[in-house]
Amino acid sequence: VGAPPFKSDRLYATTPPGVVMGLAWTAMGGSTLYAESAVVEKGAGKGSVTCTGQLGEVMKESATIARTFARSFLFSRDTDSDFFSDHSIHVHFPEGAVPKDGPSAGVTLVTSLLSLAMNKPVAPDLAMTGEVTLTGKILPIGGVKEKTIAARRSNVKRIVFPEGNHRDYEELADDIKSGVEAHFVSEYSQVFDLALGHSAEEARANGPSTV
Amino acid sequence: VGAPPFKSDRLYATTPPGVVMGLAWTAMGGSTLYAESAVVEKGAGKGSVTCTGQLGEVMKESATIARTFARSFLFSRDTDSDFFSDHSIHVHFPEGAVPKDGPSAGVTLVTSLLSLAMNKPVAPDLAMTGEVTLTGKILPIGGVKEKTIAARRSNVKRIVFPEGNHRDYEELADDIKSGVEAHFVSEYSQVFDLALGHSAEEARANGPSTV
Amino acid sequence: VGAPPFKSDRLYATTPPGVVMGLAWTAMGGSTLYAESAVVEKGAGKGSVTCTGQLGEVMKESATIARTFARSFLFSRDTDSDFFSDHSIHVHFPEGAVPKDGPSAGVTLVTSLLSLAMNKPVAPDLAMTGEVTLTGKILPIGGVKEKTIAARRSNVKRIVFPEGNHRDYEELADDIKSGVEAHFVSEYSQVFDLALGHSAEEARANGPSTV
């Protein structure tokens, strides 16, 4: 039996708002793993998050954590935003037949939700991995080598890793790292600056997603 | 024991709005697999989707993904539509005694929901298979050969396959492909053009389903 | 252990509105199997269906399918009806200690719900079996011989079978079929004409059930 390998290493040439490239690590090696977020419904008190993509319990919890943190992060930058209170959001991880689990999609999930809320795309040359705590601390993950290889194979130029994996990365052979720029972060705000660049106020001028 | 084989290879001579012919693949070979959608209830805030037909978890998730995507797709073409917010929808896959699973009914599900929302039937000579992501990307599926054989047996003239299965199809023997026209798609909008042809605005003039 | 056999081959001399005689098929042979429907609660937005009688998942799904189809069927004949939106309905299959499953009670369930909604009894000399799809197509079932024997034993004069079982029935020995009139249907509307005869508009003049 055995699950089929991840096939679509670069599903998106350019990613729309709400879509972020993460990095996964399986027994068969590393692979890219997109998080896709979309609005299901809008309305006062409709705030919620639904996940699909055959996610395990830890990954479902990551999505809940991501929503709570994304809401408070957006709030800290833009006190008028009620996006997460007023929108029910659906987060999907293709491919539907491949079971997925673990906490390392945390940064990808938060970034996907913020990208959707701000209606602002993330640069497509960027991939990320890292566990997020409820206050935005970034915790280390596994599979640094496999994820680096997978990111390069998908023409990623910049990878976001947790600071706690800095030494793992330094120990990799140079040929694995060539052509890739690694960024090490300990707080989510650093991921935000890399992925969604300019300020939330500025982005919000474009208006929230009205899908 | 063993599940009974799919019996009804062509259940519908012509399909009403909400009914779409998909293609399934089992240990016993390929078969057609209809998705049937109907409105259960209408009312502000009643939006939901219920599935029956002994579906596994992956297929239930496909239905959730299909609803989220169909809603945003309809919205992008027809900004006044509140069909998916205001209608609870029931999707059934006959036959009830045959367990079904997998993500490859994604395109069939989206098309079934859009056909219902637009109250517009899909051409009965068309069958389709493909996984859909939350943003409408089409991912490859398994069983290209078996599904092609099943489609021909049911007098299907046009099959919609994912672009990612183009090579699988080309490698089939000519006698398997004779009399069938295969279309390869990478975005859902291409499926829509094939299955529901003219524009949403035009179809909507006929009014939404009021079942 | 082993489940007790179905005992009550003719539980009802005449059936009140909401009660319909179906036919079941077990390892121990065929038997009659009544569906009993009753209103639990009435009120705007209270529409729902609850099942009892130790039903398996497939049979519970059949009840959901039956409700969706019965609603749209009633709607197509009587555009003012809000019976299924405004009533929570309970469907029970005696006997409670006997586990029951399978999709072949579909026609029985739909007829039971329509009989309740229209407050109109079904002729007591009629028994039925067949899977129903969400659009009212009738799919074949198993146990044609055993069900025919059970129907005769219960003094049933007319049996409704799916068209897909026509050949199975023709192959039965003449002594099994003597005294029974079999009707073969491919659409639910044919069952309706046999079981609930005159038009929905006419029956509705009697008013909906107010239990």
Side-chain angles (χ1 to χ4, degrees):
Chain A
V1 253
F6 293 97
K7 285 179 209 119
S8 51
D9 264 326
R10 182 165 278 281
L11 182 56
Y12 289 91
T14 59
T15 50
V19 178
V20 180
M21 189 196 273
L23 295 168
W25 176 42
T26 71
M28 288 164 295
S31 74
T32 61
L33 178 62
Y34 287 94
E36 305 177 321
S37 293
V39 171
V40 178
E41 205 170 354
K42 185 182 174 171
K46 291 280 184 188
S48 70
V49 65
T50 306
C51 298
T52 52
Q54 257 204 287
L55 311 187
E57 284 310 308
V58 174
M59 204 155 168
K60 283 181 191 165
E61 289 195 348
S62 285
T64 310
I65 295 162
R67 181 188 171 243
T68 302
F69 175 72
R71 182 179 173 280
S72 67
F73 184 84
L74 195 64
F75 222 80
S76 72
R77 304 220 164 191
D78 172 8
T79 50
D80 286 339
S81 177
D82 50 9
F83 183 83
F84 291 103
S85 304
D86 288 1
H87 291 78
S88 70
I89 300 167
H90 183 152
V91 184
H92 177 58
F93 287 88
E95 315 169 11
V98 181
K100 306 165 192 81
D101 205 358
S104 73
V107 290
T108 318
L109 278 159
V110 172
T111 308
S112 170
L113 294 176
L114 290 174
S115 165
L116 179 72
M118 297 164 61
N119 195 27
K120 184 175 177 181
V122 171
D125 68 335
L126 187 74
M128 58 185 68
T129 180
E131 179 173 349
V132 181
T133 77
L134 206 59
T135 60
K137 296 280 179 189
I138 309 298
L139 302 182
I141 49 74
V144 168
K145 180 179 172 183
E146 292 80 358
K147 287 175 174 177
T148 305
I149 293 170
R152 279 187 62 209
R153 195 174 55 219
S154 299
N155 299 317
V156 166
K157 300 294 173 227
R158 296 182 295 157
I159 312 179
V160 179
F161 279 121
E163 179 59 43
N165 291 109
H166 207 147
R167 177 177 291 201
D168 299 337
Y169 188 79
E170 278 176 0
E171 285 170 358
L172 297 183
D174 283 343
D175 62 317
I176 291 175
K177 294 184 280 186
S178 78
V180 179
E181 190 182 303
H183 296 262
F184 300 94
V185 298
S186 53
E187 300 274 351
Y188 181 78
S189 58
Q190 298 170 277
V191 182
F192 183 85
D193 292 342
L194 288 162
L196 291 163
H198 38 88
S199 75
E201 287 75 18
E202 188 182 331
R204 202 172 171 265
N206 304 325
S209 172
T210 53
V211 177
Chain B
V1 254
F6 293 98
K7 285 179 209 120
S8 51
D9 264 326
R10 183 167 276 283
L11 182 57
Y12 289 90
T14 60
T15 49
V19 178
V20 180
M21 189 196 272
L23 295 168
W25 176 43
T26 71
M28 290 162 296
S31 73
T32 61
L33 179 61
Y34 286 93
E36 305 177 321
S37 293
V39 171
V40 178
E41 205 169 353
K42 185 181 174 172
K46 291 281 184 187
S48 69
V49 64
T50 305
C51 297
T52 53
Q54 259 203 285
L55 311 186
E57 283 311 308
V58 173
M59 204 156 168
K60 282 181 190 165
E61 289 197 345
S62 285
T64 309
I65 295 161
R67 182 189 170 242
T68 301
F69 175 71
R71 182 181 174 278
S72 67
F73 185 84
L74 195 64
F75 222 82
S76 71
R77 304 222 165 191
D78 173 6
T79 49
D80 287 339
S81 178
D82 50 9
F83 182 83
F84 290 103
S85 304
D86 289 0
H87 291 78
S88 69
I89 299 167
H90 183 152
V91 184
H92 177 58
F93 287 88
E95 318 171 12
V98 181
K100 305 165 193 80
D101 206 357
S104 73
V107 289
T108 318
L109 279 159
V110 172
T111 308
S112 171
L113 294 177
L114 289 174
S115 165
L116 180 72
M118 296 165 61
N119 195 28
K120 183 174 177 182
V122 171
D125 68 336
L126 187 74
M128 57 185 68
T129 181
E131 178 172 349
V132 180
T133 79
L134 205 58
T135 61
K137 296 279 179 186
I138 310 297
L139 301 183
I141 49 76
V144 168
K145 181 180 173 183
E146 292 80 359
K147 288 174 174 178
T148 305
I149 293 170
R152 278 188 63 211
R153 195 173 56 218
S154 300
N155 299 318
V156 166
K157 299 294 173 230
R158 296 182 296 157
I159 313 179
V160 179
F161 279 120
E163 179 59 43
N165 290 110
H166 207 145
R167 179 178 291 203
D168 299 336
Y169 187 80
E170 278 174 0
E171 285 169 358
L172 297 182
D174 283 343
D175 61 318
I176 291 176
K177 295 183 280 187
S178 78
V180 179
E181 190 182 304
H183 296 261
F184 300 94
V185 298
S186 54
E187 300 273 352
Y188 181 78
S189 58
Q190 298 170 278
V191 182
F192 183 83
D193 291 342
L194 289 163
L196 291 163
H198 38 90
S199 75
E201 287 74 19
E202 189 182 331
R204 202 172 170 265
N206 304 325
S209 173
T210 53
V211 176
Chain C
V1 255
F6 293 99
K7 285 179 208 120
S8 52
D9 263 326
R10 182 166 276 284
L11 182 58
Y12 290 91
T14 61
T15 50
V19 179
V20 180
M21 189 195 274
L23 295 169
W25 177 43
T26 70
M28 289 162 298
S31 75
T32 61
L33 178 62
Y34 287 94
E36 304 176 323
S37 294
V39 171
V40 178
E41 201 173 355
K42 184 181 174 172
K46 292 281 183 188
S48 69
V49 65
T50 306
C51 298
T52 53
Q54 258 203 281
L55 312 186
E57 284 311 308
V58 174
M59 204 156 168
K60 282 182 192 166
E61 288 197 346
S62 286
T64 309
I65 295 160
R67 181 188 171 243
T68 301
F69 174 71
R71 182 182 174 277
S72 68
F73 186 84
L74 195 63
F75 222 81
S76 70
R77 303 222 165 191
D78 172 7
T79 49
D80 286 340
S81 178
D82 50 9
F83 182 82
F84 290 104
S85 304
D86 290 0
H87 291 78
S88 70
I89 299 167
H90 183 151
V91 183
H92 178 59
F93 287 89
E95 316 170 15
V98 181
K100 306 165 192 79
D101 205 358
S104 73
V107 289
T108 318
L109 278 159
V110 172
T111 308
S112 170
L113 294 177
L114 289 174
S115 165
L116 179 72
M118 296 164 62
N119 195 29
K120 183 174 176 182
V122 171
D125 69 334
L126 187 73
M128 59 184 66
T129 181
E131 178 172 349
V132 180
T133 79
L134 205 58
T135 63
K137 296 279 179 186
I138 309 297
L139 301 182
I141 48 78
V144 167
K145 181 180 173 184
E146 293 80 357
K147 288 175 174 177
T148 306
I149 293 170
R152 278 187 65 211
R153 195 171 56 218
S154 300
N155 298 319
V156 166
K157 300 294 174 229
R158 296 183 295 158
I159 313 180
V160 179
F161 278 120
E163 179 60 42
N165 292 110
H166 207 145
R167 180 178 289 203
D168 299 337
Y169 188 81
E170 278 175 359
E171 285 170 358
L172 297 183
D174 282 343
D175 62 319
I176 291 176
K177 295 184 278 188
S178 77
V180 180
E181 190 181 304
H183 296 261
F184 300 94
V185 297
S186 54
E187 301 273 352
Y188 181 78
S189 58
Q190 299 169 279
V191 182
F192 183 84
D193 291 343
L194 289 163
L196 292 163
H198 38 89
S199 75
E201 287 75 19
E202 190 182 332
R204 201 172 172 265
N206 304 325
S209 173
T210 54
V211 177

